[in-house]
Amino acid sequence: MEGALIARDKVGVQDFVLLDSHTSEAAFLNNLRKRYQENLIYTYIGSLLVSVNPYQELDLYTVSQMQLYRGVNFFELPPHLYAIADNAYRVMCNEFNNHFILISGESGAGKTEASKKILQYYAVTCPTTEQLQTVRDRLLLSNPVLEAFGNAKTLRNDNSSRFGKYMDIQFDFKGAPVGGHILSYLIEKSRVVHQNHGERNFHIFYQLLEGGDKELLGWLGLERNPQKYAYLIQGRCAKVFSINDKNDWKIVRKAFSIIDFTEKDMEQLFGIVASVLHLGNIQFEEDSNGHAIIRDGSQIKWISKLLGAHLSILQEALTNRKIEARSEEVLSPLNVDLAFYARDAVAKAIYGRTFTWLVNKINGSLANKDSTQKTVIGLLDIYGFEVLDTNSFEQFCINYCNEKLQQLLIEMTLKAEQEEYELEGIEWEPIPYFNNKIICDLVEQKHKGIISILDEECLRPGEATDLSFLEKLEEKVGDHAHFVTRKLADQKTRKSIDWVDFRLLHYAGEVTYCAVGFLEKNNDLLYRNLKEVLCNSKNSIIRECFLLSELDNRRRPETVATQFKNSLTSLIEILMSKEPSYIRCIKPNENKEPGKFDDFLIRHQVKYLGLMEHLRVRRAGFAYRRKYELFLQRYKSLCPATWPHWHGPAAEGVERLIKHIGYKPEEYKLGRTKIFIRFPKTLFATEDAFEYRKHLLISRLQAKYKGFLGKRAYQKKRKAAIKLEACWRGALARRAAKKRTWAVQTIRKFINGFINRKKPLCEENRDFVRLSQYLYLMKLRDHLPKNVLDKSWLRPPSILEETSEMLQKLCVRNLVRKYCRGLTAERKVQLQQKVVTSAVFSGKKEGYLESLSQPFLETRLKESDLNPKVLQLIRGENIKYVTPVVKYDRNGFKARERLLVLTQSSAYVVEMAKIKQKIEYSTLKGISTSNLSDGIVVIHVPEDKKGDVILQCEHLFETVTKLCILANKQSVVKVVKGSLRFRVGSGKEGTMVFTVGPEPQVFKDKTGQLTVVRTQLGPGRHLVLPPLDLHLQRAQPLLPGRAGGTETPPKAGGDHPVSVTCRR
């Protein structure tokens, strides 16, 4: 706890005792606010725990948190519910005495949740066996059952306990929970028949309707809609979004089975719950005599069935009252108002006694049959001080209970303080405080107290009313300093008190009570004939609750207030015999909003819970006390004499320590085992000095420790490096040796393989051969031919010659396949024509190789370039090829410009619009050309025709190839050397001589032969024929009518320029 003082400015102090202004309510609230805003919901006042409801889930109740607080000194960890529970448990185990934990606070402050968390803590942290697990489950699951029957939604809390509960948890000598026992106090029976606006009846009614299956509801005669039942709709909030009645019903049913309820018990219990709902729906009306009669008999039939009561007797008991007159019994009819009163009285009586039976049944399942001595820890979950807009009989009883508990708290706190002072040998200083015994006596004193006066009014003969009760109070206790009525009040106070009100000045403040209904609620009478019906019920639970012996007892039963006073006295006796622990629960706001801190509301609760009074008593002596050993252990570093070790008694060490620090005599006292510090500021100064010293010590320790760690790490690394180097050198040497051995073996193996490489594949040469093959194939991969024409191939080793040959064929086939797949249809036709050209001219005629790179065209002139008359003359035939040519006449060999037109069936020599000669392919006898590059071609025709046709073509190879293919006569083409014979006319032949000379010429020599002269070509030279128009220009001098003469002839067709000379 001392360590948390460093952050006290931000989060406050963990113990209110350490507040400097301990008498200031503002300082108290400010400290509470600081902690609440940091989600620190727990704060101590000495050993008392103040808990503020966070209205949200906080990570404070996990199993790890439970283990953290298990077995730890009370002030060693921050304040927590588990610290209170663990401290009580440890002291009980060590000293073998009994304890109780008192949990109090307003409705909605978290009392029920706190008791659940404490039960869960014991269930998890206490030793257990399989047999004890059943007891733990029953302890835990008794809560949902009691909450279902005893809790309800109020304006302040959706799960408000409407009864007081005290649970004893029994432990064996090992500290294991072995049993339990529950006491209940003052269940709010009036809620069964009436609820304020915004409130609900007890949870079980809504859970049964929402969660019960159809068969069960049908058997009980219930409908699922709660709006159908008068007892459930008065608060106008039967459905609440924050409450899951269906899910809660499942939990309750599971709890019943574990707590050892039989199916018959549950059947009869639910029958009682249903009968209460049916009772609320009974409506009365007046007959002609003004007597009450039941309007609709359907509800009473269900009640008769469920309670096992005779229908007519039950109906009579609800509308008549049995009066004893001497030795006779007379039935007195009830009016409508009294009938409703009787109905509600039955409902309250049934529910109230059934709840008591339920508690006893749970006690039976928790009872421990072992007779050995047990220790117990009691949990008291009791309503806190209540101040409502209208305070009635229930608030009077609740506030009376809180007065008694406040008295117990102050007395036990003072007693504990005084015992500790005496034990430590410190002089006891009387502590002034407000003793509320005077208020308790005002309420409970015999013959003079308010309860006694109330009982007298209830029991006296004659007409007693709430006003007569109020007058009696004014008469008997009117002079009491803590009692005020309108009649007794001064002029100023009188305005705030009504004529039917009285005011009590409680320890926590003034509370005004409305006396209306006090007598009725205190009497809580049930007409005798109704009690007879219930005593004779066939429902076993009702028979246990209403015994037949009650009918024989003529004494008037104790009033509710007297019963409550007696049970409270019994409770105080139980608590006085145990060691106490206190938890005060505070509600931070009315809207259940997380983080909202309502100062006015919290100030009101701090006052009513008596926290300031408790703090004042706790701080009247010394604010801080610790055992010498713990104090010295924490602060010994502040004194050179005690640091780092003190070898003497702890008391002497503490004395040396505080003298060194400079404590003044009035600031402390030294007891037998503890040091007592009077002022918080003294402790704060000590803690601040310790915090400063701690930083210095930590810095020094860090420096030393870092140096030590550095040295140790260096030494460790150095040893590791040496060892690693040695291991690595050895590994490298072994690896090198292994590598050398492998190298020697490999070299030896390959040398042997080289020697035996010529042999067939065997073990001796296999590796060498495989390596040779691999190396050859890898090298071959990078030197494969790139195209079909590339004939290069890597020379293989002898053993791979056959394989290499196969691979070469595959490669060539693959290249060819790839090349062929890449050809277009047009390109394919061209290549086919080139093949024909190759077959005809390859190796035979000059200029062939140069023509290979020149693609053949489909035609040299388009069909549209021909004269229309020519087209008309050759219509019906598909023109395939047209090219310009020069034709030499047979007589005189004059050059004429012509067109050669090739169709599907014939070849035509055309002059302008005339067809000069037609040559059918079928009559074609041959085609001749020289081996020189002169462009001359001779087409041989039959003898009955005109003579052979002599032509000169610029594209000789293309023209001859086209003609051969169309005529389908490749074999008739002849390439001649020197000279060729041609037919001039009918029966006449001529000779054409081909020669090489200095100047190209075509002429008729002296012998009458046609001579074609080609110029001698040097290395790297070739002849190109000029265009035909130029040739024709040169041929103009040779027109008919001009004799002889030698002219420069036009360049002949072919690949080389030639001169043509004609002679007669």
Side-chain angles (χ1 to χ4, degrees):
M1 184 186 73
E2 291 88 343
L5 295 176
I6 299 304
R8 59 184 179 271
D9 291 335
K10 180 181 179 184
V11 300
V13 294
Q14 293 181 353
D15 193 337
F16 283 110
V17 174
L18 298 178
L19 280 176
D20 276 332
S21 306
H22 69 278
T23 58
S24 168
E25 193 177 74
F28 189 98
L29 290 174
N30 186 45
N31 190 69
L32 203 62
R33 185 188 303 105
K34 284 180 180 179
R35 297 184 63 73
Y36 181 71
Q37 288 170 350
E38 296 294 329
N39 285 330
L40 301 172
I41 62 172
Y42 295 120
T43 313
Y44 290 135
I45 304 178
S47 59
L48 179 146
L49 181 71
V50 179
S51 170
V52 184
N53 195 336
Y55 290 124
Q56 60 179 315
E57 290 294 330
L58 298 178
D59 193 23
L60 298 176
Y61 308 104
T62 60
V63 175
S64 59
Q65 283 283 315
M66 295 180 187
Q67 298 298 340
L68 182 65
Y69 279 86
R70 183 180 181 183
V72 176
N73 184 277
F74 185 73
F75 290 107
E76 191 170 323
L77 291 173
H80 201 291
L81 207 63
Y82 295 156
I84 296 288
D86 185 75
N87 185 63
Y89 178 77
R90 281 190 298 106
V91 175
M92 178 200 72
C93 292
N94 295 335
E95 301 181 5
F96 210 67
N97 56 6
N98 298 326
H99 282 252
F100 77 88
I101 300 174
L102 172 58
I103 308 171
S104 62
E106 272 196 17
S107 177
K111 302 186 298 298
T112 303
E113 284 299 314
S115 64
K116 286 183 192 176
K117 299 301 182 189
I118 292 174
L119 277 175
Q120 289 171 2
Y121 177 79
Y122 289 142
V124 171
T125 59
C126 293
T128 187
T129 62
E130 187 174 343
Q131 181 181 359
L132 295 177
Q133 184 66 40
T134 304
V135 177
R136 295 204 315 189
D137 291 343
R138 289 177 177 176
L139 280 169
L140 289 173
L141 289 173
S142 64
N143 265 324
V145 174
L146 291 176
E147 285 181 15
F149 283 85
N151 288 25
K153 180 197 179 305
T154 64
L155 291 172
R156 298 184 174 185
N157 185 8
D158 289 345
N159 189 32
S160 175
S161 299
R162 306 318 299 163
F163 70 105
K165 181 181 72 174
Y166 175 76
M167 174 186 282
D168 268 338
I169 309 169
Q170 300 171 347
F171 297 86
D172 62 10
F173 70 96
K174 297 178 183 177
V178 293
H181 187 79
I182 299 171
L183 296 175
S184 65
Y185 300 97
L186 192 66
I187 185 166
E188 190 183 9
K189 293 186 291 185
S190 61
R191 181 170 291 273
V192 176
V193 299
H194 175 73
Q195 307 94 43
N196 294 325
H197 182 69
E199 297 190 353
R200 295 206 313 176
N201 211 322
F202 292 102
H203 293 323
I204 188 62
F205 296 111
Y206 306 94
Q207 291 173 3
L208 174 60
L209 296 181
E210 185 71 24
D213 53 51
K214 289 183 179 180
E215 292 78 8
L216 176 61
L217 294 181
W219 183 80
L220 297 174
L222 298 176
E223 297 181 40
R224 204 170 287 283
N225 185 3
Q227 302 294 332
K228 300 280 187 181
Y229 302 99
Y231 281 167
L232 302 184
I233 61 174
Q234 297 175 36
R236 299 181 184 176
C237 59
K239 294 280 187 181
V240 181
F241 293 112
S242 60
I243 300 175
N244 189 336
D245 292 312
K246 191 172 184 178
N247 187 55
D248 292 342
W249 168 258
K250 293 178 184 177
I251 296 172
V252 170
R253 286 303 300 262
K254 178 184 175 184
F256 274 135
S257 61
I258 292 177
I259 297 173
D260 207 18
F261 277 66
T262 64
E263 285 296 326
K264 185 179 179 182
D265 289 335
M266 288 189 282
E267 182 181 297
Q268 295 192 344
L269 182 60
F270 297 146
I272 294 170
V273 174
S275 67
V276 172
L277 294 178
H278 288 305
L279 272 169
N281 281 2
I282 291 177
Q283 298 297 317
F284 299 96
E285 61 185 9
E286 288 184 352
D287 63 6
S288 57
N289 297 319
H291 301 152
I293 59 172
I294 297 175
R295 184 182 301 169
D296 179 10
S298 61
Q299 301 293 334
I300 196 139
K301 289 178 183 177
W302 281 109
I303 298 169
S304 173
K305 172 196 169 184
L306 296 172
L307 296 183
H310 196 279
L311 177 60
S312 59
I313 297 174
L314 177 59
Q315 189 167 354
E316 180 185 273
L318 285 171
T319 55
N320 295 273
R321 179 180 181 185
K322 186 178 286 188
I323 300 174
E324 295 183 5
R326 297 180 183 178
S327 59
E328 295 182 4
E329 292 183 346
V330 179
L331 284 177
S332 174
L334 302 175
N335 60 29
V336 173
D337 291 340
L338 289 176
F340 279 118
Y341 171 81
R343 179 199 69 175
D344 292 345
V346 172
K348 291 190 288 185
I350 289 175
Y351 195 86
R353 295 202 187 192
T354 301
F355 184 77
T356 303
W357 174 88
L358 183 66
V359 172
N360 293 334
K361 180 72 176 177
I362 293 173
N363 284 336
S365 72
L366 296 176
N368 183 264
K369 309 299 187 290
D370 187 4
S371 59
T372 58
Q373 186 179 356
K374 311 287 189 307
T375 52
V376 301
I377 294 178
L379 290 178
L380 179 58
D381 176 4
I382 201 86
Y383 11 63
F385 207 90
E386 282 194 357
V387 183
L388 307 179
D389 294 335
T390 301
N391 301 290
S392 189
F393 178 74
E394 291 84 4
Q395 282 69 47
F396 173 77
C397 294
I398 288 171
N399 294 341
Y400 162 55
C401 173
N402 276 272
E403 285 286 357
K404 294 291 287 182
L405 293 175
Q406 175 68 9
Q407 185 183 23
L408 174 71
L409 171 64
I410 296 297
E411 286 179 1
M412 297 191 83
T413 303
L414 285 172
K415 181 183 176 183
E417 285 283 294
Q418 189 170 359
E419 285 178 355
E420 185 173 25
Y421 278 43
E422 289 175 357
L423 188 65
E424 291 295 325
I426 295 177
E427 184 180 351
W428 170 252
E429 302 173 3
I431 300 173
Y433 69 97
F434 171 68
N435 190 345
N436 67 335
K437 184 176 183 301
I438 186 172
I439 302 174
C440 295
D441 290 343
L442 171 63
V443 176
E444 67 184 5
Q445 193 174 10
K446 284 187 178 182
H447 310 301
K448 295 181 181 180
I450 295 175
I451 292 177
S452 296
I453 298 169
L454 180 60
D455 288 350
E456 286 178 15
E457 279 299 294
C458 290
L459 299 176
R460 75 175 176 85
E463 190 69 28
T465 64
D466 295 322
L467 285 176
S468 66
F469 162 63
L470 191 59
E471 290 171 0
K472 190 64 88 49
L473 286 178
E474 291 173 343
E475 179 186 337
K476 291 199 172 183
V477 297
D479 58 346
H480 198 286
H482 294 81
F483 177 84
V484 180
T485 65
R486 183 182 180 91
K487 181 179 178 181
L488 301 174
D490 56 31
Q491 191 70 28
K492 184 179 179 181
T493 309
R494 187 174 299 165
K495 296 178 182 179
S496 60
I497 304 177
D498 204 343
W499 286 108
V500 291
D501 294 348
F502 66 93
R503 181 174 294 172
L504 295 183
L505 277 65
H506 290 281
Y507 77 93
E510 300 174 349
V511 182
T512 302
Y513 300 97
C514 179
V516 176
F518 262 61
L519 267 63
E520 178 188 332
K521 292 177 180 178
N522 188 45
N523 270 324
D524 197 27
L525 292 177
L526 187 64
Y527 294 148
R528 181 178 178 81
N529 51 337
L530 284 171
K531 189 177 290 187
E532 287 175 357
V533 172
L534 296 175
C535 289
N536 292 306
S537 170
K538 293 180 182 178
N539 187 303
S540 60
I541 297 176
I542 293 295
R543 283 204 312 276
E544 285 184 46
C545 294
F546 295 89
L547 302 175
L548 285 169
S549 57
E550 292 185 33
L551 300 175
D552 300 330
N553 186 1
R554 298 296 180 179
R555 292 184 60 188
R556 189 180 180 96
E558 283 185 338
T559 62
V560 174
T562 301
Q563 290 178 27
F564 184 67
K565 182 181 78 171
N566 293 339
S567 61
L568 189 56
T569 302
S570 173
L571 175 64
I572 295 298
E573 289 175 1
I574 293 171
L575 298 182
M576 289 291 287
S577 66
K578 296 178 171 63
E579 294 295 323
S581 298
Y582 306 100
I583 299 173
R584 292 287 196 253
C585 299
I586 292 178
K587 180 166 63 173
N589 60 78
E590 292 284 8
N591 302 323
K592 304 167 192 162
E593 295 181 22
K596 184 178 179 182
F597 192 88
D598 188 335
D599 284 50
F600 179 79
L601 178 64
I602 294 174
R603 184 180 290 107
H604 171 86
Q605 294 174 80
V606 167
K607 182 179 180 183
Y608 285 5
L609 289 170
L611 298 181
M612 293 302 298
E613 185 71 16
H614 183 81
L615 174 58
R616 201 168 64 80
V617 171
R618 192 71 174 74
R619 266 294 302 271
F622 296 89
Y624 175 86
R625 60 208 68 185
R626 279 294 180 275
K627 286 188 174 296
Y628 288 135
E629 292 79 7
L630 296 176
F631 188 85
L632 183 63
Q633 179 64 29
R634 181 167 183 81
Y635 298 114
K636 63 183 179 179
S637 61
L638 298 178
C639 175
T642 56
W643 175 258
H645 300 292
W646 173 256
H647 299 289
E652 293 180 10
V654 170
E655 191 172 0
R656 291 283 295 275
L657 173 62
I658 60 178
K659 283 183 180 178
H660 179 78
I661 295 174
Y663 280 12
K664 296 178 181 178
E666 65 272 14
E667 292 179 337
Y668 72 96
K669 290 277 186 173
L670 296 177
R672 292 189 178 95
T673 63
K674 294 181 181 178
I675 177 174
F676 292 75
I677 297 177
R678 189 177 299 275
F679 307 116
K681 63 181 181 180
T682 306
L683 177 64
F684 296 161
T686 306
E687 187 62 32
D688 291 342
F690 171 67
E691 187 67 19
Y692 177 74
R693 178 67 177 166
K694 185 167 63 176
H695 286 301
L696 295 178
L697 290 173
I698 288 173
S699 299
R700 191 177 302 169
L701 285 171
Q702 283 178 336
K704 290 284 186 183
Y705 188 63
K706 286 177 181 176
F708 167 74
L709 288 178
K711 183 178 179 181
R712 185 170 66 181
Y714 167 74
Q715 291 176 345
K716 188 176 180 180
K717 288 177 183 177
R718 187 170 180 272
K719 288 181 181 178
I722 293 171
K723 188 172 183 179
L724 188 62
E725 287 172 355
C727 291
W728 181 242
R729 283 195 292 269
L732 289 176
R734 287 189 292 274
R735 186 186 297 174
K738 188 176 180 180
K739 195 172 182 180
R740 284 195 298 272
T741 303
W742 172 84
V744 168
Q745 293 172 350
T746 303
I747 291 171
R748 187 176 295 161
K749 179 171 62 177
F750 277 90
I751 290 174
N752 193 28
F754 177 76
I755 294 171
N756 297 283
R757 68 186 182 281
K758 302 285 187 182
K759 294 181 180 180
L761 190 67
C762 60
E763 192 66 32
E764 291 178 342
N765 64 3
R766 179 180 287 107
D767 290 337
F768 178 81
V769 170
R770 293 283 183 262
L771 179 63
S772 300
Q773 292 171 342
Y774 173 78
L775 292 176
Y776 171 72
L777 292 175
M778 290 298 103
K779 191 173 181 182
L780 180 62
R781 179 184 65 181
D782 300 328
H783 294 80
L784 289 173
K786 303 301 181 185
N787 53 60
V788 181
L789 300 178
D790 186 359
K791 302 299 181 181
S792 63
W793 190 258
L794 198 65
R795 182 177 180 182
S798 58
I799 199 166
L800 279 179
E801 286 178 352
E802 186 178 351
T803 303
S804 176
E805 186 177 348
M806 292 172 63
L807 288 174
Q808 187 175 10
K809 289 179 180 179
L810 286 173
C811 181
V812 171
R813 289 181 64 184
N814 184 53
L815 289 173
V816 170
R817 181 168 173 268
K818 283 173 64 177
Y819 181 78
C820 291
R821 283 192 172 187
L823 291 176
T824 62
E826 182 182 332
R827 179 66 175 162
K828 189 173 182 180
V829 171
Q830 287 190 359
L831 289 177
Q832 289 173 347
Q833 294 174 1
K834 288 284 185 179
V835 169
V836 173
T837 307
S838 174
V840 174
F841 296 108
S842 178
K844 299 176 182 179
K845 186 172 177 65
E846 288 182 1
Y848 168 72
L849 293 178
E850 287 79 0
S851 72
L852 289 177
S853 60
Q854 299 174 6
F856 291 169
L857 299 183
E858 187 177 355
T859 180
R860 290 293 169 173
L861 293 175
K862 295 179 182 177
E863 189 174 336
S864 59
D865 294 335
L866 295 176
N867 192 293
K869 290 183 179 180
V870 174
L871 291 175
Q872 188 175 8
L873 292 173
I874 60 175
R875 66 179 179 275
E877 294 188 49
N878 190 7
I879 297 174
K880 294 294 186 180
Y881 183 75
V882 180
T883 184
V885 296
V886 174
K887 179 179 176 294
Y888 290 95
D889 290 342
R890 288 178 294 277
N891 296 318
F893 302 113
K894 292 182 179 179
R896 309 289 185 183
E897 180 183 1
R898 299 288 185 265
L899 293 177
L900 178 64
V901 179
L902 303 181
T903 67
Q904 286 179 329
S905 59
S906 303
Y908 295 92
V909 178
V910 176
E911 177 187 6
M912 299 298 289
K914 297 178 183 180
I915 296 177
K916 301 297 288 183
Q917 188 171 352
K918 176 181 179 181
I919 306 169
E920 293 181 354
Y921 297 148
S922 59
T923 62
L924 183 66
K925 292 180 65 178
I927 301 171
S928 299
T929 183
S930 73
N931 66 329
L932 302 177
S933 55
D934 46 29
I936 299 295
V937 60
V938 178
I939 301 174
H940 301 283
V941 296
E943 293 181 1
D944 58 342
K945 302 289 183 180
K946 294 179 181 181
D948 295 340
V949 181
I950 302 170
L951 302 174
Q952 184 178 14
C953 301
E954 185 177 354
H955 306 285
L956 182 138
F957 296 108
E958 179 181 286
T959 303
V960 172
T961 301
K962 298 273 187 182
L963 181 60
C964 290
I965 292 173
L966 289 172
N968 195 19
K969 292 184 178 182
Q970 301 173 15
S971 59
V972 300
V973 179
K974 292 182 181 180
V975 180
V976 299
K977 294 182 180 180
S979 64
L980 66 84
R981 300 284 297 175
F982 62 91
R983 197 169 59 83
V984 177
S986 179
K988 296 181 181 180
E989 289 185 351
T991 303
M992 186 181 297
V993 179
F994 301 96
T995 184
V996 177
E999 183 180 356
Q1001 297 181 70
V1002 177
F1003 62 93
K1004 186 177 180 180
D1005 61 9
K1006 295 177 180 180
T1007 61
Q1009 295 178 337
L1010 181 64
T1011 302
V1012 179
V1013 181
R1014 179 182 67 81
T1015 306
Q1016 179 69 45
L1017 296 177
R1021 292 181 57 197
H1022 66 276
L1023 294 175
V1024 180
L1025 291 174
L1028 285 178
D1029 53 352
L1030 180 62
H1031 171 81
L1032 293 174
Q1033 290 174 8
R1034 294 177 178 177
Q1036 288 299 320
L1038 299 180
L1039 291 175
R1042 294 186 66 177
T1046 301
E1047 302 290 341
T1048 302
K1051 292 185 179 179
D1055 294 328
H1056 309 287
V1058 294
S1059 297
V1060 179
T1061 304
C1062 295
R1063 300 178 187 268
R1064 292 189 187 269

